[in-house]
Amino acid sequence: MGNSCNPAFMMIGARIGNTTFKSYFKNFGLTEKTGIDLAGEATGIFHSDSSFNEVELATASFGQRFKVTPIQMITAISSCVNGGYLNQPYFVSKIIDDNGNVVQSFDPLTKRQVISEETSNTVASMLEQVVSTGTGKNAYIKGYRIGGKTGTSEKIDEKNEEGVADKRISSFCGIAPADDPQIAILLLMDEPEVDQVTGGL
């Protein structure tokens, strides 16, 4: 994970298999709306059962050839490090009146546990290594325990004149503190105009 090694993710995907991979993809909320308190939320786009073959599994294993929304992505990532719980995101935590009295409060809603707390702790530790020694080292700050993951995704439906998908989305998701995550942030750059398009940059 620290080296963002696509062949390794492909091998892991092959070991997991199509059915289990798709099951986790769904359980992490990536095929449904999150239910966030905003109008116009979209759902993700993933392969149908009939089109999800070995090649699609391989590319999906390193994050290509499907679409998710940013709020779906950060919600799923948060569940990877918060003990394994998929929570419904929301903007408004409480409504107060002019005198500071709470008129209405909104409590966090846990939808389901996707992974065990032990696995969640392992993932958080791996994400910290991404920042301390891997592709996310630009996010390293001395004295802070930061975890994260870089991402570089092709926009396969936007091709150049030669028919090559040459447009990219670069991303970085950070969590802190890595040993007890309280904050998650997702940075996305849509078609950045730099020489080397990577999430680590």
Side-chain angles (χ1 to χ4, degrees):
M1 189 177 291
N3 293 322
S4 203
C5 182
N6 289 349
F9 287 121
M10 291 166 69
M11 290 169 63
I12 294 167
R15 288 173 62 184
I16 292 171
N18 295 48
T19 303
T20 302
F21 185 96
K22 197 161 187 179
S23 173
Y24 272 101
F25 194 88
K26 181 178 180 180
N27 285 336
F28 276 114
L30 298 172
T31 60
E32 63 190 17
K33 294 180 181 180
T34 65
I36 193 167
D37 47 341
L38 286 175
E41 182 182 8
T43 58
I45 300 172
F46 197 68
H47 309 282
S48 66
D49 288 339
S50 60
S51 68
F52 193 47
N53 54 37
E54 288 182 359
V55 174
E56 302 301 350
L57 172 62
T59 55
S61 296
F62 60 86
Q64 297 276 12
R65 298 186 62 85
F66 59 83
K67 295 178 189 236
V68 297
T69 66
I71 194 65
Q72 284 177 311
M73 184 181 288
I74 198 166
T75 301
I77 291 168
S78 296
S79 69
C80 286
V81 298
N82 70 3
Y85 297 95
L86 183 72
N87 296 321
Q88 180 173 316
Y90 59 94
F91 271 101
V92 178
S93 61
K94 60 186 171 183
I95 299 171
I96 57 173
D97 63 20
D98 293 340
N99 298 318
N101 300 312
V102 176
V103 176
Q104 187 176 3
S105 62
F106 302 89
D107 295 324
L109 173 64
T110 298
K111 294 183 173 181
R112 58 187 163 268
Q113 186 168 11
V114 185
I115 56 175
S116 69
E117 187 170 341
E118 181 183 6
T119 300
S120 176
N121 291 338
T122 300
V123 172
S125 176
M126 293 171 73
L127 294 177
E128 185 174 16
Q129 293 174 21
V130 171
V131 171
S132 62
T133 61
T135 57
K137 60 184 176 287
N138 282 337
Y140 177 79
I141 300 172
K142 187 176 181 180
Y144 291 87
R145 297 191 64 177
I146 300 170
K149 182 67 186 81
T150 58
T152 308
S153 181
E154 295 177 319
K155 296 175 78 172
I156 60 169
D157 48 358
E158 303 217 9
K159 301 184 175 163
N160 61 23
E161 293 176 2
E162 290 78 35
V164 176
D166 63 343
K167 297 183 186 286
R168 307 275 191 274
I169 297 175
S170 293
S171 62
F172 178 79
C173 186
I175 57 147
D179 57 336
D180 182 24
Q182 301 295 314
I183 298 169
I185 185 167
L186 175 63
L187 304 170
L188 295 164
M189 294 188 72
D190 190 10
E191 300 179 17
E193 296 181 5
V194 293
D195 291 336
Q196 187 179 10
V197 181
T198 69
L201 203 62

